[in-house]
Amino acid sequence: MADAALPVIVLSDPDPIRRHETAELVQSWYRTSFRVLQVGGPAETVRALKALADRKVPVAAVLADEAPEPGGAHPGVRWLPLARRSDDASAAGEHPAEHLRVALDDSLCTWNADSRGDLPTAEVRGSRFSPAAYAVRDFLGRSGVIFRWLPEEDARDAPVTVRLGDGTELTDPSISELAERLGLIRPAGQDHYDVAVIGGGPGGLSAAVYAAAEGMSVVVIEDDAPGGQAGSTSRIENYLGFPVGLTGGDLAQRALQQARRARVEWQPTRVASRVAPTGTGDHSVEFVKAGTEEASSVTAAAVVVATGVDWNRLTAPGVDRLLNSGVYYGSCLSDAPSTAGEDVYMVGAGNSAGQAALYFARYARSVTLLVRGTDLGASMSSYLVQRIERTPGLRVLLGTEVAECLGGDTLTGLRLRERDGGERTVGAHCLYVLIGGRPSTEWLGGALKLDERGYVLTGSGGAGPEALPMETSVPGVFAVGDVRSGSVKRVGAAVGEGAAVAQSLVEYRRRHPDRFRDARAACGF
Ligand SMILES: Cc1cc2nc3c(=O)[nH]c(=O)nc-3n(C[C@H](O)[C@H](O)[C@H](O)COP(=O)(O)OP(=O)(O)OC[C@H]3O[C@@H](n4cnc5c(N)ncnc54)[C@H](O)[C@@H]3O)c2cc1C
């Protein structure tokens, strides 16, 4: 759809810098569905609404500090108060418009149902402590789908229902079914590609975009939603070119949009299970639909493994039983508003734990960060440590670990153990575990050489001195990002490796031109 044909979200703010910043963020959430129109204040809002009504352009919402004149402009216009940057928010490094997301999602769902009904939206009902409901919400949020979450007081195994924008109701859908029904996935267009990238985090999407720009046909096989670990973070502050930072979801959606523009084929909710040489110089990549046993495969001249890292597991009793029913690995940001009035615990001492704690502290009654060591600054950037110290309702318990998770169907408390062996029990509604990662390489089943910690060896450590940069022990199979042995665990580093591996792919194609059958692949740039 051409931008001009998209329905409009009017953003009214007399401060041009703040307005531009907020517009960029809101646009990034709804890039493919809405156009953000910036106006300078109440009078200009009225004029803009009249002009849009004359041109019959639908207006989905008006974001402004003051409500537009009643009935004066656009019929049935929905107004949402624009969040102001308070001193507190600014000190905590919050974005002025970040918390608008939940309110806007809700309002846009209603608008879509009342008017157009053609956007991929969803309404999710289920128990807040249902693991299945958590998986659905996490997937929708990270896929950029506008959705409304309606928690119910049911038992955790009550069915999860998802009502789509067109009225279809799905009960206990798998994420692959959701992806298909919401149009997020299309059947693979071909069975052979120049490059198959496994993993749609920053490293994989970067490799895909740069390889496509070199005229290669590319498929990305991702087991979940775009963005990888970065996709779940509330704020990335050190990524070049975004001086006020950006959310992981924003980065993921931007990267995916760029990949699609470059004609990369995007296959989410597909779990790679095997990479093997075909015997003709190509490689076969096997994968299954997430949540099903349905298997498929593609072949490719070259493969880029970008499967990153997964969370380390907590071994305390009760963790596995209460997983996704109060105990979570990582942090599902869309859950934060529903922790209002609750006591949230987090385990971890890295930047990811710090960022999540700051984000949840804006909603929960209290957030407690449990740190096994005695110095938070030893593993967390000092700017985060300082913000944590300044944030009311957020406390840090040093030298403390989880001895047991308590509760029947859902988490109700934690038994904490201190360094001196002392123990105490606290009431807790949720526990988020963010204790670093382990490489996602088990699925490779020994196909590639790994280092002693399970990361993929590349270059001279992989195939030997003849290997191309980032080539693994199997010629034609490359690895980038966090999964690669010796990698720097940063978004910028993963993106850089994705760009660099494209040069190895170009050299590999020069050596084996016959294997790259898709010279016709046209990049959309
Ligand atoms: C909460 C959090 C906050 C962070 N904040 C920052 C920050 O502020 N700045 C910064 O520079 N870095 C940050 N990082 C680190 C950064 O996110 C990672 O370094 C980066 O995402 C690595 O990218 P990647 O593509 O290599 O791997 P990942 O991001 O891990 O992506 C790998 C992808 O592969 C998929 N996958 C795994 N196995 C399979 C399979 N078998 N089949 C198909 N797909 C598979 C995964 O689902 C995932 O989507 C943060 C990390 C976390 C967890």
Side-chain angles (χ1 to χ4, degrees):
M1 204 188 292
D3 264 14
L6 294 175
V8 166
I9 296 172
V10 176
L11 168 61
S12 168
D13 187 340
D15 180 332
I17 295 173
R18 188 177 52 201
R19 185 177 69 228
H20 181 71
E21 210 175 73
T22 310
E24 279 224 318
L25 187 71
V26 175
Q27 189 67 79
S28 74
W29 295 333
Y30 308 117
R31 205 164 282 286
T32 53
S33 310
F34 298 99
R35 182 165 62 92
V36 176
L37 178 70
Q38 299 184 47
V39 292
E44 219 184 298
T45 307
V46 172
R47 277 200 298 278
L49 288 171
K50 284 200 168 120
L52 290 165
D54 289 347
R55 284 170 29 224
K56 303 207 169 1
V57 177
V59 174
V62 176
L63 298 175
D65 281 330
E66 287 175 42
E69 281 173 15
H74 212 283
V77 73
R78 286 160 202 281
W79 169 70
L80 276 110
L82 182 61
R84 284 276 177 222
R85 184 199 286 265
S86 71
D87 289 346
D88 282 355
S90 178
E94 291 169 0
H95 195 283
E98 218 170 47
H99 72 282
L100 274 182
R101 177 72 190 263
V102 174
L104 252 177
D105 262 15
D106 195 67
S107 173
L108 294 175
C109 269
T110 310
W111 174 85
N112 187 46
D114 291 352
S115 46
R116 296 164 59 103
D118 60 353
L119 292 173
T121 61
E123 199 169 273
V124 185
R125 286 175 193 274
S127 160
R128 204 182 127 207
F129 298 104
S130 149
Y134 177 82
V136 164
R137 274 154 35 228
D138 189 40
F139 176 72
L140 292 176
R142 300 208 292 123
S143 300
V145 173
I146 304 166
F147 76 99
R148 182 187 286 147
W149 164 228
L150 302 165
E152 290 174 345
E153 291 303 311
D154 292 328
R156 60 179 251 174
D157 53 358
V160 181
T161 54
V162 182
R163 197 180 152 84
L164 304 181
D166 64 2
T168 318
E169 201 154 294
L170 309 172
T171 305
D172 287 333
S174 66
I175 58 165
S176 49
E177 185 182 0
L178 270 178
E180 278 158 25
R181 301 298 284 266
L182 287 162
L184 304 176
I185 185 169
R186 281 166 230 133
Q190 15 187 127
D191 50 22
H192 179 85
Y193 296 84
D194 289 334
V195 182
V197 176
I198 306 170
L205 285 171
S206 164
V209 167
Y210 280 92
E214 295 296 341
M216 299 176 198
S217 63
V218 183
V219 63
V220 179
I221 294 161
E222 159 62 44
D223 63 4
D224 196 357
Q229 299 164 70
S232 66
T233 177
S234 57
R235 172 155 295 232
I236 299 166
E237 308 222 31
N238 55 356
Y239 191 57
L240 193 69
F242 293 86
V244 293
L246 81 173
T247 66
D250 186 5
L251 181 69
Q253 290 305 320
R254 282 170 185 265
L256 181 58
Q257 200 180 18
Q258 198 171 11
R260 284 194 164 130
R261 235 184 111 217
R263 310 228 169 132
V264 167
E265 209 167 290
W266 170 243
Q267 294 284 313
T269 69
R270 301 297 186 255
V271 187
S273 50
R274 189 162 179 259
V275 179
T278 58
T280 59
D282 289 335
H283 304 272
S284 148
V285 179
E286 295 173 16
F287 51 92
V288 290
K289 267 189 187 185
T292 75
E293 311 241 304
E294 217 176 297
S296 310
S297 66
V298 291
T299 57
V303 172
V304 178
V305 175
T307 47
V309 299
D310 198 3
W311 294 107
N312 279 329
R313 304 287 145 175
L314 200 66
T315 52
V319 169
D320 289 348
R321 188 171 50 78
L322 294 165
L323 190 58
N324 293 349
S325 292
V327 179
Y328 307 95
Y329 286 104
S331 59
C332 175
L333 298 180
S334 64
D335 267 8
S338 53
T339 60
E342 297 189 346
D343 299 310
V344 171
Y345 282 74
M346 296 196 168
V347 185
N351 284 358
S352 47
Q355 285 163 347
L358 283 165
Y359 189 74
F360 275 70
R362 291 154 56 187
Y363 299 93
R365 177 169 58 200
S366 73
V367 174
T368 306
L369 197 56
L370 303 173
V371 178
R372 201 168 44 179
T374 51
D375 176 14
L376 189 58
S379 48
M380 191 180 289
S381 296
S382 59
Y383 78 94
L384 285 172
V385 176
Q386 284 167 21
R387 279 185 200 163
I388 285 172
E389 283 165 356
R390 286 200 303 259
T391 302
L394 204 175
R395 66 179 173 151
V396 180
L397 294 184
L398 296 172
T400 308
E401 58 187 8
V402 175
E404 187 178 359
C405 293
L406 309 168
D409 268 1
T410 62
L411 182 78
T412 54
L414 298 170
R415 189 157 57 80
L416 302 180
R417 186 178 302 125
E418 279 147 22
R419 260 182 122 71
D420 60 9
E423 290 194 353
R424 65 194 163 113
T425 299
V426 293
H429 294 91
C430 324
L431 175 73
Y432 293 91
V433 183
L434 301 106
I435 51 171
R438 53 182 182 176
S440 300
T441 47
E442 272 170 28
W443 66 276
L444 284 165
L448 306 178
K449 263 197 214 167
L450 308 178
D451 70 13
E452 66 287 352
R453 291 166 59 221
Y455 290 86
V456 179
L457 287 162
T458 56
S460 52
E466 298 302 307
L468 290 165
M470 283 171 246
E471 198 171 21
T472 69
S473 52
V474 175
V477 178
F478 300 80
V480 298
D482 280 13
V483 77
R484 199 177 66 76
S485 177
S487 62
V488 175
K489 310 290 183 274
R490 290 283 182 273
V491 173
V495 169
E497 291 195 6
V501 82
Q503 288 316 300
S504 291
L505 291 166
V506 167
E507 175 57 21
Y508 187 74
R509 177 174 61 181
R510 197 191 60 73
R511 293 182 190 174
H512 307 284
D514 48 312
R515 295 183 193 163
F516 286 73
R517 295 165 217 162
D518 269 308
R520 61 175 178 74
C523 175
F525 291 150

